[in-house]
Each structure stands twice: as C-alpha cells, then as structure tokens.
Amino acid sequence: MPELARRVGTAAPPVSWASPSGPPPAADGPPLCLVTVGHSDDRVTAHAVDWEPLEVFSYGPDLVPALPAALTADDLPAPIPRGGVHLELPARTVGVWGGDAPDGTTAQWSGWSVRFWTDDCTEQLRRASGTPLFVPQVDWAYEAMRQSLTARHDDPAPFLHEWYGAYFRAPVWDLSPSQVEAALTAVATAARSG
C-alpha cells in the first residue's frame, strides 16, 4: 500500500518488523501471503501463509524449510492474497509485494539479491513461470480502488487512468481494453458520488 499511498497524495506510515519467532503458520482460508519458491530443478512451489508479506520476508533465508506444505494443484489458483514473497533458490534472489521495504529487514538476506515490488503482484506471477497461483478478482480491485479514492480526489479519473489503467492492462488480468475502460469509468463515477 505504500506505493498506492504515494500516488494518491498521502503518506504511508513507516513500517518495521521484528523478526518473527516460530515457523509461519499455514493459512486456514484465504492467505495473507502466498510464498512461491523456484527450485534448482525448475519446479515452483506455492505456500499459503497466515502472516503479512513483510513478516514472512523478515524471517530471512531460513524461511524455506519452515514453510507449511506446498499447495497442491487442487488448491490452485488460491484467492488473491494481501501480498507475496518469491524466492529463486539457485539465483539467491527474493522479491516481495504488498508493502515497501521495512527498516532493518534486508540484513537477514545477506548474499541475496532483494527486490521490493510495492503493490505489484504481476512480478511474482511472472517469476512463478506459469504456475496458476491466484486469479486477480475484479470485484476486490474495484472495492480497493473505490475506498482509496473517495476521500482523496475530487476528480479521480486522471489518477485512475494513470495508475490503475496500466495496472489493469497487465496480462495477468486478461481484460480487454473496453473492460478496463468500463471498470475505470465505473470506479471514477462511484468515487465522485460516494
């Protein structure tokens, strides 16, 4: 949300996490975080975790053996999480979406390449090599946009087209240009009337 807060003209609160204790618990419903792991044999496993993405990230490289069991093909696609973490074990890279870089958490990842994708889930989807992780839900996105716009913009249309227009045109959404335009227009109208 920090990237979204910046774009709508408000400040996001500073974020810092203490290192969690104990292994991350498996999600018992829609996951807060979906962790994907690229292995040396080209497999990608997905793990639904009941921690916020930055909590998961702050666990450090010891995260992989502590993860709950990988989701099966029957469990995928999962409901869209609040964020995600993607690790590439052979390349020693880790990326996080669902928040900005919190203070003091990259030290645990010494020797790893670390990326923060703010609120961009498409980076994790792209790196998961076609694994059907989750399907972004238009209703969820619509409500998130409506809530963030109602108090921040007299005329949200320019902001919508700049930020969300590009976001919804990403291949993961599989929306036609007319569907994107209809969604943006509906949200702008709702935000103005809300």
Side-chain angles (χ1 to χ4, degrees), residues 178-192:
S178 63
Q179 288 173 307
V180 171
E181 189 59 36
L184 296 174
T185 300
V187 172
T189 301
R192 280 193 295 267

Side-chain angles (χ1 to χ4, degrees), residues 6-87:
R6 184 184 63 74
R7 289 185 180 263
V8 297
T10 185
V15 178
S16 65
W17 291 98
S19 293
S21 61
D28 192 23
L32 293 177
C33 180
L34 194 63
V35 179
T36 50
V37 181
H39 299 271
S40 58
D41 60 3
D42 294 330
R43 280 181 310 122
V44 175
T45 56
H47 309 262
V49 176
D50 203 20
W51 278 353
E52 294 288 343
L54 295 175
E55 279 183 287
V56 173
F57 173 78
S58 69
Y59 203 89
D62 293 336
L63 171 68
V64 176
L67 286 169
L71 298 174
T72 67
D74 291 339
D75 298 325
L76 296 170
I80 191 167
R82 288 191 192 167
V85 175
H86 180 76
L87 297 99

Side-chain angles (χ1 to χ4, degrees), residues 105-173:
T105 58
T106 59
Q108 294 97 302
W109 295 93
S110 178
W112 286 67
S113 175
V114 177
R115 301 281 183 264
F116 291 96
W117 302 313
T118 58
D119 299 323
D120 188 359
C121 68
T122 62
E123 289 295 328
Q124 182 180 26
L125 293 172
R126 185 173 63 80
R127 285 168 171 80
S129 304
T131 303
L133 299 177
F134 53 84
V135 178
Q137 300 161 343
V138 173
D139 290 345
W140 169 85
Y142 173 86
E143 183 58 23
M145 287 189 306
R146 189 191 66 72
Q147 288 177 8
S148 71
L149 292 171
T150 53
R152 293 183 174 88
H153 295 279
D154 291 333
D155 180 10
F159 169 77
L160 283 167
H161 285 275
E162 175 190 345
W163 172 242
Y164 285 108
Y167 185 67
F168 278 140
R169 287 180 183 88
V172 67
W173 289 95

